[in-house]
Amino acid sequence: MADITLKGNAISTIGDLPKMGSKAPSFTLTTVDLSHKSLSDYEGKNIIMNIFPSVDTGICAMSVREFNEKASGLENTVVLCISKDLPFAQARFCAAEGLDNVVMLSDFAKGNFGKDYKLNIANGPMADLHSRAIVIVNPKGIVTYTQQVPEIAEEPNYEAALKAI
């Protein structure tokens, strides 16, 4: 279990992110057009998983914008922005912001992604939402970088994540 904070108040996650060097757990998530995407759909690419509680909060929205901009020039790389937001909210956000270099994926239906990646918040006012985390997976499906952001109200370390590609 990871100890994190929400505006300085102690909370925790249900476990620890996948270990670097391990095979990334498979998943199936819902896209903004209500189709489904799995980890295997991105096989052969570098995958940046930008994981957060809700795109309707300032820091979460900022992380989507930052990765949309910073990762757009990376070859053979896809940015997956994953939350429990409804796909409609994710689509609305990307349309309003003009973002097209990220893939929005929702874990709303079953919540298995957050459980399998051990990043759901276990307690406090945001219990059961995703914590703020970054997971990078190489083209062979191996986890090469993780960051469990220690304070939910702070941005992830974009530069460290991008250097891991």
Side-chain angles (χ1 to χ4, degrees):
M1 150 177 347
D3 294 322
I4 58 176
T5 57
L6 171 62
K7 297 183 179 177
N9 297 308
I11 57 175
S12 58
T13 64
I14 62 171
D16 293 314
L17 294 174
K19 300 263 184 245
M20 291 194 329
S22 69
K23 184 130 180 85
S26 63
F27 61 76
T28 300
L29 296 167
T30 307
T31 68
V32 297
D33 68 4
L34 302 180
S35 64
H36 294 94
K37 290 287 187 181
S38 299
L39 180 63
S40 61
D41 290 318
Y42 304 102
E43 188 174 314
K45 293 183 178 273
N46 291 303
I47 303 167
I48 300 171
M49 294 184 203
N50 176 31
I51 307 155
F52 48 85
S54 175
V55 75
D56 285 325
T57 64
I59 300 299
C60 300
M62 178 63 71
S63 71
V64 175
R65 286 186 209 104
E66 286 292 314
F67 277 117
N68 183 73
E69 179 185 326
K70 292 180 184 291
S72 65
L74 297 176
E75 289 188 35
N76 198 38
T77 301
V78 62
V79 177
L80 307 180
C81 293
I82 304 169
S83 68
K84 286 189 172 181
D85 289 303
L86 291 176
F88 314 110
Q90 293 175 333
R92 174 188 39 78
F93 174 79
C94 286
E97 296 282 332
L99 305 177
D100 57 4
N101 294 321
V102 296
V103 177
M104 299 298 281
L105 296 173
S106 177
D107 191 23
F108 85 99
K110 296 181 182 173
N112 289 336
F113 175 85
K115 294 172 189 166
D116 293 344
Y117 278 72
K118 307 291 186 210
L119 53 80
N120 280 356
I121 298 169
N123 53 6
M126 295 176 71
D128 297 318
L129 290 176
H130 293 164
S131 61
R132 185 176 318 288
I134 303 295
V135 176
I136 299 202
V137 178
N138 74 13
K140 295 181 180 179
I142 304 300
V143 176
T144 59
Y145 175 86
T146 63
Q147 180 194 14
Q148 175 63 70
V149 179
E151 166 58 56
I152 291 178
E154 293 179 1
E155 294 178 72
N157 186 336
Y158 303 110
E159 298 311 316
L162 294 171
K163 284 181 184 177
I165 297 295

